[in-house]
Amino acid sequence: MDISYIIKSPLSIALYDMVKRFSNFPSTVLIEGEIGSGKEMVAETLHSFSNRSNMPFVKIDCGSISDQVSDNELFGTDRVSPGLFESANQGTLFLDEVGELSPKIQVKLLRFLQDRENDRAGGSWTKKLDIRIIASSSSPLFQLVKEKKFREELYYRLNIGYISVPPLRNRPEEILPLINHYLDYYCKEYKIKKWFKSETLEILKNYPFPGNILELRSLVEKLCISTNAEYILSAHLPEYIQAKPVSISSWESQVGEFESQLIRQALEIEGSIRKAAARLQISHATLLRKMQKLGIEK
């Protein structure tokens, strides 16, 4: 995966160099950053730079698995059916939102990291696996350790290589390259022709994007499908972006307003919470918590 088109800020240059350095080793890597900041993109880049690039890259959404089905789904069933761990053999296993794993699965993951053996459900069949583990978390994992919600020994097993993905507001140089990238992507995807007027780009360049790359991508897609004209004008932008930059005192409320709007839009399009979570690239459990916080009815 090539992410060089967004490498414009000093923070991203340093991150990119770290990704290339870590890709030379099979060690476990922990990636932390806000929702939508590009953690999965970093994980895919790590895999593509490694000597496992031609082997499977398997993503597991840790918030969507339950104890009842996780053994079969993750580790397989006796001699009959392999699980997701075995499907990633020789490749990379990406544990997205690893902090949402249940205590039971945390124990099994810790055991796997210690001996690299996959125990299929039933306990009668084991197999040595060669897997590179990459984990991500939107919440600081060590804080979950202090709150007794995540096993300390598992945290240290995962945190061999550490990458912190900065939010998009801290790398504004990459806003326009990202807009152009996603505009080109959706124009090709939907076989349309759209351009941003310079004054529109100027407004977007100065918008803080509290939802990070996820918000930016969703906005570009929304403007592509909702704008009749070929040129996307500043008047086509949502009111909350057209307004003057928010003050520090109103930042939290503005973030909540955006999250509420994004979640409601995803629920309306997809028709179910699980599908909406997949569209927003967050776990089912994370979406439920945000809905409860924002007062959005199930």
Side-chain angles (χ1 to χ4, degrees):
M1 180 178 184
D2 182 15
I3 61 171
S4 59
Y5 62 90
I6 62 167
I7 305 299
K8 305 295 180 185
S9 73
L11 287 174
S12 290
I13 291 171
L15 185 150
Y16 194 63
D17 289 342
M18 188 176 294
V19 166
K20 288 191 289 186
R21 184 164 67 253
F22 286 167
S23 67
N24 295 320
F25 304 94
S27 305
T28 302
V29 174
L30 173 62
I31 305 171
E32 290 189 339
E34 295 179 7
I35 290 174
S37 57
K39 297 185 294 296
E40 184 173 349
M41 191 183 298
V42 171
E44 290 173 348
T45 305
L46 264 171
H47 175 72
S48 67
F49 282 169
S50 73
N51 58 8
R52 301 170 183 261
S53 58
N54 293 325
M55 303 307 289
F57 178 87
V58 178
K59 174 186 173 181
I60 296 177
D61 181 359
C62 297
S64 67
I65 55 178
S66 65
D67 283 349
Q68 187 173 4
V69 301
S70 58
D71 273 3
N72 295 347
E73 184 180 354
L74 299 180
F75 305 105
T77 309
D78 289 327
R79 297 180 179 274
V80 181
S81 174
L84 290 172
F85 270 66
E86 287 180 54
S87 67
N89 196 25
Q90 304 297 319
T92 300
L93 187 68
F94 176 47
L95 301 173
D96 191 26
E97 295 298 345
V98 69
E100 297 187 11
L101 283 176
S102 70
K104 175 183 175 182
I105 302 304
Q106 288 183 37
V107 171
K108 296 207 69 170
L109 175 58
L110 177 62
R111 188 180 304 128
F112 174 80
L113 289 171
Q114 288 170 340
D115 56 28
R116 297 288 169 169
E117 284 188 350
N118 181 60
D119 296 320
R120 289 189 181 176
S124 61
W125 195 93
T126 62
K127 181 180 180 180
K128 280 278 187 183
L129 298 178
D130 174 20
I131 300 174
R132 205 273 178 84
I133 300 287
I134 300 175
S136 80
S137 178
S138 297
S139 303
L141 211 53
F142 191 65
Q143 181 61 37
L144 297 181
V145 171
K146 290 194 290 186
E147 295 171 2
K148 307 297 183 184
K149 296 177 181 177
F150 198 81
R151 296 184 69 92
E152 185 174 6
E153 59 269 47
L154 178 56
Y155 169 76
Y156 290 121
R157 287 279 183 179
L158 293 173
N159 190 16
I160 306 299
Y162 178 78
I163 295 176
S164 177
V165 182
L168 188 55
R169 62 183 173 274
N170 290 352
R171 39 192 175 109
E173 304 94 327
E174 289 155 15
I175 290 175
L176 294 187
L178 281 165
I179 288 173
N180 289 328
H181 168 75
Y182 287 118
L183 177 66
D184 182 63
Y185 172 81
Y186 286 116
C187 282
K188 291 178 180 176
E189 181 78 7
Y190 300 143
K191 297 179 175 58
I192 57 176
K193 290 183 179 180
K194 298 285 180 181
W195 288 274
F196 281 95
K197 295 288 283 186
S198 58
E199 63 267 23
T200 312
L201 291 174
E202 190 65 26
I203 294 173
L204 292 173
K205 185 175 69 173
N206 294 300
Y207 175 65
F209 284 100
N212 295 299
I213 297 176
L214 176 58
E215 178 187 2
L216 183 148
R217 177 174 183 166
S218 298
L219 176 64
V220 173
E221 181 181 10
K222 178 180 181 179
L223 291 169
C224 282
I225 65 174
S226 63
T227 306
N228 289 325
E230 239 177 55
Y231 284 94
I232 300 172
L233 310 177
S234 58
H236 294 133
L237 296 175
E239 289 185 7
Y240 66 89
I241 293 180
Q242 292 185 48
K244 293 180 180 179
V246 298
S247 64
I248 294 175
S249 61
S250 65
W251 175 262
E252 186 175 349
S253 64
Q254 290 287 337
V255 172
E257 182 182 334
F258 163 73
E259 286 189 331
S260 178
Q261 181 179 1
L262 195 62
I263 289 171
R264 292 178 192 278
Q265 183 181 12
L267 288 168
E268 183 178 348
I269 293 172
E270 297 296 344
S272 79
I273 296 176
R274 193 169 297 279
K275 289 181 179 179
R279 183 179 183 88
L280 294 170
Q281 299 177 27
I282 60 177
S283 71
H284 181 256
T286 298
L287 180 54
L288 284 173
R289 283 202 303 271
K290 286 187 174 293
M291 290 173 62
Q292 184 178 15
K293 178 182 177 181
L294 296 168
I296 300 174
E297 295 291 335
K298 294 183 181 180

